[in-house]
Amino acid sequence: MSARKKATAKKAGRKAAKKSAKKSGKKAAKKNTRKAAKKAARKSAKKASAKKPAAKKSNPRASAAARKPASRKAQSVFSFGDGRADGRADMKEVLGGKGANLAEMNLLGIPVPPGFTISTEVCADFNKAGGALPRAVKAEIATAIAEVESIMGGRFGDPDNPLLFSVRSGARASMPGMMDTVLNLGLNAETVLGLAARAGERFAYDSYRRFIQMYGDVVLNVPRDRFEMRIDDTKHAKGIDLDTDLDIEDLKRLVRDFLEIAEEQTGRPFPSDPMEQLWGAIGAVFSSWQNQRAQIYRRLHNIPEEWGTAVNVQAMVFGNMGDDCATGVAFTRDPSTGERDFYGEYLTNAQGEDVVAGVRTPQPINDASRTTDTQDLPTLEAEMPKAYRELVRIYKRLEKHYRDMQDIEFTIQQGKLWMLQTRAGKRTSTAAVKIAVDMAKERLISREEALIRVDAASLDKLLHPTLDPEAPRNVIARGLPASPGAAVGVAIFDSERADLRTKAGEKVVLVRIETSAEDIGGMFASEGILTARGGMTSHAAVVARGMGKCCVTGCGALDINYEARSMRVGGVEINEGDLISIDGGTGDVMLGSVPTVTPELGGAFDDLMHWADKSRKIRVRTNADTPEDARIARDFGAEGIGLCRTEHMFFEPDRILRVREMILAKNVEERAKPLGRLLQMQRQDFVEIFRAMDALPVTVRLLDPPLHEFLPQTEAAIKELAEDLGTQVAKVRASLASLHEFNPMLGHRGCRLGVTFPDIYRMQVRAIAEAACIVDLEGVAVTPEIMIPLVSHEDELKRLRAETEAVIDEVRSQYPGSKVKPAIGTMIEVPRACIVADVIAEHADFFSFGTNDLTQMGYALSRDDSGKFLPEYVDAGILEDDPFVSIDEEGIGALVQMGAAKGRSTRPRLKLGICGEHGGDPKSVKFFARVGLDYVSCSPFRVPAARLAAAQAAIEEAGA
Amino acid sequence: MSARKKATAKKAGRKAAKKSAKKSGKKAAKKNTRKAAKKAARKSAKKASAKKPAAKKSNPRASAAARKPASRKAQSVFSFGDGRADGRADMKEVLGGKGANLAEMNLLGIPVPPGFTISTEVCADFNKAGGALPRAVKAEIATAIAEVESIMGGRFGDPDNPLLFSVRSGARASMPGMMDTVLNLGLNAETVLGLAARAGERFAYDSYRRFIQMYGDVVLNVPRDRFEMRIDDTKHAKGIDLDTDLDIEDLKRLVRDFLEIAEEQTGRPFPSDPMEQLWGAIGAVFSSWQNQRAQIYRRLHNIPEEWGTAVNVQAMVFGNMGDDCATGVAFTRDPSTGERDFYGEYLTNAQGEDVVAGVRTPQPINDASRTTDTQDLPTLEAEMPKAYRELVRIYKRLEKHYRDMQDIEFTIQQGKLWMLQTRAGKRTSTAAVKIAVDMAKERLISREEALIRVDAASLDKLLHPTLDPEAPRNVIARGLPASPGAAVGVAIFDSERADLRTKAGEKVVLVRIETSAEDIGGMFASEGILTARGGMTSHAAVVARGMGKCCVTGCGALDINYEARSMRVGGVEINEGDLISIDGGTGDVMLGSVPTVTPELGGAFDDLMHWADKSRKIRVRTNADTPEDARIARDFGAEGIGLCRTEHMFFEPDRILRVREMILAKNVEERAKPLGRLLQMQRQDFVEIFRAMDALPVTVRLLDPPLHEFLPQTEAAIKELAEDLGTQVAKVRASLASLHEFNPMLGHRGCRLGVTFPDIYRMQVRAIAEAACIVDLEGVAVTPEIMIPLVSHEDELKRLRAETEAVIDEVRSQYPGSKVKPAIGTMIEVPRACIVADVIAEHADFFSFGTNDLTQMGYALSRDDSGKFLPEYVDAGILEDDPFVSIDEEGIGALVQMGAAKGRSTRPRLKLGICGEHGGDPKSVKFFARVGLDYVSCSPFRVPAARLAAAQAAIEEAGA
């Protein structure tokens, strides 16, 4: 496997390079998505294979006679070969992915080396029995071997015409951590002579050498380098460089040496009995299900231990028997771009492992597969036209049958084509969209299937600029890929300076130990954010994702010195103003400037989004705090603003002083002046936002964070503030002390500020109402919704609603002719609010679930602190997902469900939405759709993902 | 009313003084409870009158003919007099408390001045109609007046034989904020002549003068001092001191002057038409329901606005017509001690208001009522034996009828006794217990009724030492009465020194700006705690109540200077070592030493507790962290320990260093040494606790708070720690920084510590298990229960349970013969845990609801921070109760209910308890009993209150 992956990766790079020579315009974008493909592929490996088989229906061409009756309970071994098979594609649970597809290909009449699959159910029995194969299974295997022998003509262990086997694992889900393959099984001192007589001595002993080496490594656990060193010694002694320069005597001696090494390491002679070899290989596959790597992999990918793995035993076919032999891999469409090109590479006279060695450059199978590196090499199409035509016929058949892009493996032995594997091919996000849309247009799949096929979470990545994958990278550290995209700029270590330098025209990467609300301005000004502490859900990560900015967090290797305005990473010292680059997709931190590329969203993307909008029922809004955000989000298809956080406006440099003046005021009278100034500023913001959203609803949340978040924390900043306001440092410090809270999350914030400082909320309501009237009178429709946060008791909302209505009435009387009537609702983010949602609903026109805080309080998890133990929790398997990324359905989700049901029990038409980070997480969006919410709201760049997830939810529900 | 209250208070003091002369032993205790009586009385005023009338059944002596048919809907005015009445005692909703009892006394044949009650329903109509009395009601009143006239012989407004009325308000619940009384209504220039002819000129004009003054004040809103100043001027001009020295001409002139003053102030002549006077007085009573004081009072006492007040109009009887006249008040039993003594005071030739003036000392009604001040005065029994005998007959009848101690008012007019009021008498907590128990023994009430009658919350106060109420107090400031009792000691401003000075034999009052976990040791060592900040539920308050220590919090007047080890209060400077006293019942802070007294719990208390234990179903445990606590709680009747907080043991001075060493350790190896030392210490604690509890269950909670709570915060302490541990200051500081949390409540604590530092929990489990085995092998039964805190996900408990069981198994194998098998359960304190309680229950032998944290998280209220806005919330009426004092039933209570139901759905016999502060709050205890929990656990001093509340819950449930 790993051989093929590496090959594919290399090739992707080469191909991209070649293509770029032709189409220079799209060059960078394509290269970039190519490279990303590998990552995505690795990540989605499990997901893809865990999905239901694409071909659910039985194949009409496979005759009924070809299938055995479904007495599966007793059957442990499933034969296939020569157009017949006991299994089929939808039996992955029993046969594993590889075995099921081998059976299916047989049924399709595609040439597959005959063999048999030992079912996953045997795996559990085997491990329970302490590593023993049941007698009945052994008998079934013997029968199956006989069937293969009758097809192939040779016999397993026959010294004259030996049949050799490959043995491969194959679980329901692909598991790279497990034992993989043993080739050439069945060779020993006698059978090697028979093979030599038929295929040549050199081929026979080379195969024997390879077998001992693989079996020794995989089954007997002999350290791999013991064999490799012996080969190196031999080459060194002879003064040669290549394996192919070894002569027959060398190979024979190596065989003898390898047998000795194996005996020395295991204390027992290397097994010469082919059946003993076979039991050993089968046992090794089953045991590998329990090895540590497999266990870790299963835990990380939520694969149940009960699943077990199957074992596939197949007759060997050889791509290395001569120049009329070859081995290769191919994709039925371009896995990087999704274009409808048959795409692959191969080597003549080679076995798969030769590709790993990297000595020979694989050749393109056709002209479409050429890259700059391979433009002069002959193609399979040219070298073996007959086999190529057969391969084309087969790939088309497979794609049509499986109704998806396939990743196939083949071997050509003496001109005859054998298929070794087919499976759904991994692809980049770009390719996934293109392939799904094309296939729907080709009527291969329905539009609904196309929508389901694309991983909604991957869309996010399509929208962000990324680093040019071809450009050299001087990676100096790696953190967590907290928000996708890329950023290049000068390193700046504090937010105010970041803002200044940006205004001076520079591109800035803000570098902080960790960020807090004070850094919002600097983050907003910067290209990207890099922090030394904090996880995927730290302040920096969440805010950056909200802003659609690239962010790398938790990069522990950074030793940041704020005073010196510099940091050390390993041996490198980076000072303020030095250029750095960060990659939010990988977490890489690089010295210097790496060029970036912006992906283009093609017509396929637009088609898919268009179809999604027709399918979905739940609406998608955006969280946007500025007119600019609002415009971006509309372009991404947002149907309104679900959360406009007024306090984010407060952090802008020209406003924060007024805000601080307001906070430090001793009473209502002193607060009046700064509030008046803020009123003007906020009103102008809302005017622009309302204009940008033109009739679409805009939910504005009144002030939420505790006031101390707006005050400076450092001594210097405190001093400066005191000077700016003409007051004493001691007074500012006293204010800070009196506002300090032990648990600000549970403190004096949200509507509690509205109750204790009614003038602040009144100012905000006035700004919203006046802006709405102004825009309304301009002839632009406005749909303002005023949201009161952190309500835990119905009386809070009752009281604040009355005050809000009073201000609105007053404003309306000042703008005669305006018919603006803002809705008034609340954020449901306190657990208690869910429980008493029925009484709260009496005073609310709408609910918006604030699932971030609901998770923090309901789960007792502080988002800013949980990074200290959440990773251990996920490692230990206590938590499957980070509950801040995907909603915890059974706990916090149940609270949302309760709140929704209780709210609607009072007010059946209550509008229900959700505006936490979860609004952009596809899994969560589906949950919210199931629960019956009217809309989700997420950051602008996640809007397309939410639209797609919403469509998927509707399709899944209709299908359920 | 206020006159009577003051009189009663004075008298109580005097009586106490007198009694003390006789029985010197019990002197202080009794005095103290006397004084406390007033406070309690005032507080419980509303509660008592809101209760259902004691006499539910109709009085057998009242003939059926005496009652009108119950066509109440149409009836607005209810007459009474001469043994007949339209109303009765159980009609308080319609007649108000006073009116209902006046009717009832009539039906009992007790002499009551005839009159009528205008129903509460008229109040709403009146106020809705903008202050107009419906015509039909006026007609009913006219009829009722005629009935009174026919009984009394005089006529209202008749110049020859004028009938005068008193007009009094009377709501369902007593409302001191409302208009009270107008006497002598019906007097004018003509009728005063008729009165003069019949009762003498001086009496007539004095009555007229009083009437104008009262009516002017209460109905016409003429400032009271305008009248008083005129009297003073007159006396000054004549050179006399007493009102009684005014001659008839003076009185006549005052009448003229008063009429002028009233006209001048209101712009209209003083009403001379008696009917107009009456409409004015009735209207004033109804309007007073809406005045600001009444509104505030209603909000504070949860009295619905719809209730309205009734108006009682009664024929005047005069206690001031001569020496055969008198007026007085009495209690049917001693309101301070509850002893079965008829107890009261009176004045001859006086009206109620004369008592207010305080010029004459009221006389005791009998020998039992004498005090030191009144020991030489004649008694009513001696002066008017006939009237006294009648009074005795009546009080006995009333007490028997109402089946409760009564507070009565009477007037004797020319030898004839008239009863003006009867109602349940306010009493001290001590008296409440004694009276309830005595009455049950007298078979006047059932034992169940006796249990219901005593306010469970008041028991707490009975158990704490208090300041001698007779001793002089130099009060310098007042804070919040956060934990009852009293403390006298030297002021010490830091916890370590508090501990040192205590060990040196001094009594200490710990004074802090606010307290934190670091102060636990100092608080434990001190007699009492005084803080400048924090509310009734601040750290200091909660911990102090838990320890049963006196505490005054939020005393903002203190200006504490830690460095100077002193504080300033007003002008006074108090230095370390100066003696101060604090009163946890009032919040008083006093300079110097005030003697304290410890109340004795008599046999009545024991009887009551014994009956309570027989009635209740829910068990009562205690929260105890030390063997001493455990012993105290057992004495108070605790049936086990529901919460033993292991971390409180960590704060003891000889341990905290080991704890800190453990926290600062870099890895498991480094932690091993301090953990080993802690193991020995904790094991010894548990041995002693198990011995003290002897077979009763002991729930030990494993380490809960975040580790940073154990580290020093000040620079000096950090330096000291670094020295003690032989490490660098920078290292300690780095540890502190890395442990810092933004929201510790939602942070790395509870079972999360168990997951990330398994060795700490293993040490604790080992200590518990070893201690249990040791005590078990001594032959003392042990029932240990190990509680894992802060579980939010079932896998946390599953994992930690397995580790706990493994340690227990290991320990058991080391103590052969021991059959100890600790139960393993969890604290349910995270909202999510309530929601998924069914799956958590799979791994739990018991649940204990941690309602403190559940409230903090479920309500988004940080207990340490909410003091900044909670008071405004309660003032604004948004919150009725502090949710940390009484469980918020509809929100947090619903979560508890859900958790309980879900837990039992998995495990029907799951043991359920609650161990938050609410476990000691009677209202909450009743809720938990209703919800079906098995036990509550509270601090030792609150155990009796919980036992009583539990009994009340069972009785109420049986009655429901």
Side-chain angles (χ1 to χ4, degrees), chain A residues 285-302:
Chain A
V285 173
F286 282 146
S287 302
S288 70
W289 182 254
Q290 303 282 16
N291 73 28
Q292 208 187 354
R293 276 189 309 165
Q295 282 180 13
I296 291 169
Y297 189 90
R298 277 202 296 277
R299 208 168 59 206
L300 291 176
H301 294 79
N302 297 319

Side-chain angles (χ1 to χ4, degrees), chain A residues 926-938:
Chain A
K926 291 181 186 179
F927 174 78
F928 297 129
R930 282 203 303 280
V931 171
L933 302 195
D934 297 305
Y935 69 87
V936 297
S937 187
C938 57

Side-chain angles (χ1 to χ4, degrees), chain A residues 675-693:
Chain A
L675 276 178
R677 303 274 289 273
L678 287 168
L679 171 66
Q680 293 169 15
M681 296 169 179
Q682 292 224 298
R683 183 176 52 214
Q684 191 50 35
D685 290 331
F686 293 132
V687 162
E688 287 176 40
I689 289 173
F690 289 145
R691 281 185 194 142
M693 294 311 284

Side-chain angles (χ1 to χ4, degrees), chain A residues 458-478:
Chain A
S458 70
L459 290 190
D460 198 2
K461 291 174 216 143
L462 293 185
L463 310 174
H464 290 280
T466 50
L467 293 177
D468 184 342
E470 298 296 305
R473 297 179 166 208
N474 181 4
V475 176
I476 50 173
R478 174 166 288 186

Side-chain angles (χ1 to χ4, degrees), chain A residues 709-730:
Chain A
E709 280 200 9
F710 298 97
L711 294 181
Q713 303 299 334
T714 64
E715 277 306 305
I718 290 170
K719 229 176 208 164
E720 200 186 316
L721 177 61
E723 274 167 29
D724 287 346
L725 295 179
T727 184
Q728 292 139 351
V729 170

Side-chain angles (χ1 to χ4, degrees), chain B residues 5-18:
Chain B
K5 266 192 192 147
K6 286 192 190 164
T8 314
K10 271 199 172 171
K11 167 265 323 168
R14 269 181 254 121
K15 187 187 170 197
K18 180 191 160 197

Side-chain angles (χ1 to χ4, degrees), chain A residues 740 752 832 860 868 888, chain B residues 740 752 796 832 860 868 888:
Chain A
H740 170 263
R752 293 162 186 175
R832 188 186 191 275
K868 284 169 197 156
D888 153 44
Chain B
H740 170 262
R752 294 162 186 176
E796 294 172 318
R832 188 185 192 278
K868 284 169 195 155
D888 154 44

Side-chain angles (χ1 to χ4, degrees), chain B residues 547 622 626-638 940-941 943:
Chain B
M547 291 177 174
T622 192
T626 63
E628 198 195 338
D629 279 356
R631 280 184 285 267
I632 293 173
R634 275 205 83 160
D635 287 347
F636 284 139
F941 280 87
V943 166

